[in-house]
Amino acid sequence: ILYALTTSSTIQGFWLGKDGRGLYQFASRGQLQNDANVRARIYTTTDFQITSIWTVTASESSRVHLIAIASSGVRVYLTT
């Protein structure tokens, strides 16, 4: 699996296939700030740009697969 972060803060997930030579998009998630705003109700859209993403190994968590970090320091925990 390959994760990509676009300049518009969209996170995309790609499956590379069993041989690692394919490129099949299986997920695309943008506008995470909308979900975070609903939950936290403290950040505005302008405060929220995803600046980096970090994968989480299966040994670290059985449920969380990716952590997105916003410019404000907010962390969003994602599953696939």
Side-chain angles (χ1 to χ4, degrees):
I1 294 176
L2 172 70
Y3 294 103
L5 175 63
T6 69
T7 57
S8 62
S9 293
T10 296
I11 298 170
Q12 299 172 324
F14 296 92
W15 168 248
L16 301 178
K18 290 183 180 181
D19 62 1
R21 295 180 184 213
L23 188 63
Y24 312 97
Q25 184 175 346
F26 68 86
S28 180
R29 182 65 190 212
Q31 300 181 344
L32 290 172
Q33 71 276 8
N34 293 338
D35 292 339
N37 280 339
V38 169
R39 302 218 188 274
R41 301 203 184 276
I42 56 173
Y43 291 97
T44 64
T45 304
T46 57
D47 296 327
F48 202 94
Q49 288 289 342
I50 300 297
T51 58
S52 63
I53 54 177
W54 298 87
T55 57
V56 178
T57 65
S59 64
E60 294 175 300
S61 176
S62 62
R63 295 176 18 142
V64 174
H65 299 108
L66 192 71
I67 301 171
I69 301 177
S71 56
S72 60
V74 169
R75 293 183 179 138
V76 180
Y77 297 87
L78 303 164
T79 60
T80 53

